[in-house]
Amino acid sequence: MRISPASWSAPDRDDWVGAVQEAYDEASRRDSRVVLVAHSLGCWAASVWLNDNSSSPTGGAFLVAPPDPRGRAFPRRAAATFVEVSAQPLPCPALVVGSADDPYWQHGRELLDSLTQQ
């Protein structure tokens, strides 16, 4: 399933988290083994959804290049509702992938440690 937030061009966190919920609902009707896969801002939408729905059966998360909301390159105006998001340990097994030369991954090690602590 691919999320389809209405705010694709002007990302709104609540809209994106709602889109994750819709995709989860559809995927879980097809198969009980749901794994969330997300890229960039979608990582934060998935992370918020996972922490808000920790009792929902989720097999894990594969998060690629979550941007650092505190980083210099983060698009604060375009993604204003994501600025205050903070990394919290995820309630399921997770693999978080980032790159040392990604300008959006400024505090990547801290972010990675926060998301994957269990």
Side-chain angles (χ1 to χ4, degrees):
M1 305 283 91
R2 183 179 175 133
I3 67 168
S4 298
S7 63
W8 193 258
S9 297
D12 176 77
R13 190 186 78 171
D14 291 341
D15 178 44
W16 283 44
V17 172
V20 172
Q21 179 68 58
E22 290 174 17
Y24 175 84
D25 290 344
E26 188 172 337
S28 65
R29 283 191 292 272
R30 296 179 182 193
D31 194 320
S32 62
R33 300 165 299 183
V34 176
V35 174
L36 300 185
V37 178
H39 174 257
S40 193
L41 283 179
C43 297
W44 289 114
S47 172
V48 169
W49 184 87
L50 284 163
N51 280 303
D52 287 351
N53 295 279
S54 58
S55 62
S56 294
T58 307
F62 181 63
L63 309 177
V64 179
D68 179 2
R70 298 176 299 153
R72 288 186 305 268
F74 190 81
R76 285 175 179 74
R77 287 188 187 167
T81 59
F82 284 86
V83 170
E84 297 300 321
V85 74
S86 62
Q88 298 177 30
L90 297 172
C92 63
L95 178 60
V96 181
V97 179
S99 172
D101 64 352
D102 181 345
Y104 297 102
W105 181 257
Q106 186 176 352
H107 301 283
R109 175 50 54 193
E110 293 172 39
L111 197 58
L112 177 62
D113 290 344
S114 297
L115 287 171
T116 58
Q117 282 181 336
Q118 289 198 31

